[in-house]
Amino acid sequence: MTRRETYLDWNATAPLRPEAIAAVTAVLAHGGNPSSVHRAGRAARTRVERARGVIASLVGAAPDGVIFVSGGTEANHLALLGSGRARILVSAVEHGSILQAVPEAERIPVDADGIVDPAALDAMLKADPRPALVSVMLANNETGIVQPAARIAAIAHANGALFHCDAVQAAGKLPLDAAAIGADLVSLSAHKLGGPPGIGALVAIGGTEPNPLLRGGGQERGRRAGTENLPGIAGFAAAADSALAGLAEYGHVRRLRDRLETAALNAVPEALVIGAAAPRLPNTTALALPGIASETQIIALDLDGVMVSAGATCSSGKVGPSHVLSAMGLPPRIAGCTIRISLGWTTTDSDIDHFLDAWTALARRAIPRADRAAA
């Protein structure tokens, strides 16, 4: 008998959309270098520019601001390291590709809900008049918590700073409008919204021009050297187009997520949903089960055919408390016992039931009855 498998790790990577597969396959069959002037090159260039327009539409920006890169990590590095700003300020809950791009960056604190402290940001910017860049993600990859980007942008701009927004997790799940966000730079990644891995974009708004990190060719208007990843770009555009058309599907995804949380907390009162009071992505739950390490939960769930991720960072084989949860002030007994469940457009009620059956059985096995009675 084949074991049932349920994939609930969409924030790590989304399954490739059929439209993206078709687009990648079509380009691979034709080839062509977008920098060549012959017929095949011109056809390839046309595909790149059409894709640029689609990606721009994803965030409501102008096509000429889209810079194709290798993914979200490179987009974030280009934004921070190419900003030319003397100071870099980042929130304490940013993705590792932000925190490690500029390790000496100043950290903006967050409150218990994981929301950036606007007064602290304003004070930090006022304390040093040097040109600055502020980088705050739109939606957190671990908790799904959504930041008040427009307010953060307003504070940054009032102090003469640029604002970079990592929208990798939000794109395709929330409607995005660069003008409403107020960002000067926006990072995107294809594989988070059903496109192929290895392709992303940094979108420069309002004439903002990052200094290139990769030089040697005139590709991307001199902003990122290297032959364009044409199959990836085509797949990215197809996925983005499909994601835009399917944004309404996330109303159903939210209902599934809410049902999961309600049922989990009813079944296991010791459990805790991280950031439940804050605005969140419609597909994400960070669920803590005190006393049961996150890696223990992940392994047990995987044995039952349910795939989720930890709320802890893994590096070189070592597992430590999540910097995101620690920044929110959560103690190790919570931070080290949190898993992330993330849903997508093909998630079903049956998938939620599968998770709940496996997770509640795990909790009941692991939590002594006496502890449960005392809780």
Side-chain angles (χ1 to χ4, degrees):
M1 180 176 171
T2 303
R3 183 185 71 167
R4 178 181 175 184
E5 293 191 343
T6 295
Y7 185 75
L8 297 176
D9 198 18
W10 289 68
N11 284 8
T13 196
L16 204 59
R17 293 177 184 264
E19 299 89 343
I21 295 173
V24 170
T25 302
V27 169
L28 288 172
H30 289 91
N33 187 322
S35 296
S36 298
V37 297
H38 49 61
R39 182 177 301 139
R42 294 196 305 273
R45 172 55 53 193
T46 297
R47 292 188 184 98
V48 170
E49 297 311 318
R50 285 177 178 167
R52 204 183 305 279
V54 174
I55 302 308
S57 297
L58 188 64
V59 295
D64 62 4
V66 175
I67 307 167
F68 286 116
V69 296
S70 64
T73 292
E74 187 184 340
N76 287 340
H77 277 66
L78 179 56
L80 271 62
L81 298 177
S83 70
R85 295 298 173 116
R87 299 176 66 201
I88 304 293
L89 297 85
V90 304
S91 88
V93 295
E94 293 303 301
H95 188 270
S97 62
I98 291 285
L99 299 179
Q100 295 183 42
V102 184
E104 68 276 14
E106 300 168 56
R107 304 289 177 93
I108 312 162
V110 299
D111 63 19
D113 285 326
I115 302 294
V116 163
D117 182 342
L121 172 59
D122 191 48
M124 291 170 73
L125 289 169
K126 283 182 166 55
D128 187 335
R130 290 179 298 161
L133 176 136
V134 174
S135 181
V136 177
M137 62 189 357
L138 185 55
N140 189 266
N141 51 297
E142 291 188 26
T143 62
I145 291 168
V146 176
Q147 297 287 347
R151 185 177 183 188
I152 294 166
I155 293 170
H157 292 153
N159 287 279
L162 291 175
F163 176 50
H164 165 247
C165 187
D166 176 351
V168 165
Q169 282 295 344
K173 300 167 189 169
L174 299 175
L176 300 184
D177 184 322
I181 293 171
D184 301 291
L185 297 160
V186 177
S187 294
L188 301 170
S189 180
H191 78 102
K192 301 296 188 180
L193 48 78
I199 185 68
L202 180 67
V203 185
I205 315 296
T208 303
E209 284 294 334
N211 299 318
L213 301 183
L214 301 180
R215 296 177 169 86
Q219 295 90 351
E220 296 303 293
R221 299 175 174 87
R223 297 176 294 185
R224 199 271 189 183
T227 300
E228 292 92 343
N229 175 3
L230 186 56
I233 289 170
F236 188 6
D241 198 33
S242 179
L244 275 171
L247 276 173
E249 296 172 3
Y250 273 88
H252 174 63
V253 172
R254 183 187 296 277
R255 289 189 289 275
L256 291 176
R257 191 275 310 272
D258 291 349
R259 183 170 81 82
L260 182 153
E261 292 180 353
T262 299
L265 296 181
N266 285 339
V268 186
E270 298 87 351
L272 174 69
V273 174
I274 308 300
R280 289 182 294 155
L281 290 174
N283 78 314
T284 306
T285 293
L287 185 63
L289 188 56
I292 307 177
S294 54
E295 58 266 34
T296 299
Q297 296 182 58
I298 290 168
I299 292 168
L301 289 170
D302 188 50
L303 290 173
D304 275 335
V306 179
M307 290 164 273
V308 300
S309 286
T313 54
C314 299
S315 177
S316 300
K318 297 180 180 179
V319 178
S322 159
H323 73 277
V324 171
L325 303 184
S326 296
M328 293 170 64
L330 292 168
R333 60 179 289 272
I334 301 295
C337 298
T338 299
I339 60 172
R340 180 188 69 190
I341 306 110
S342 48
L343 288 55
W345 55 87
T346 63
T347 303
T348 64
D349 277 291
S350 180
D351 293 330
I352 301 304
D353 292 338
H354 188 195
F355 168 81
L356 289 168
D357 289 344
W359 183 79
T360 54
L362 161 67
R364 287 165 179 159
R365 289 195 305 269
I367 300 176
R369 288 184 178 277
D371 289 350
R372 291 177 57 77

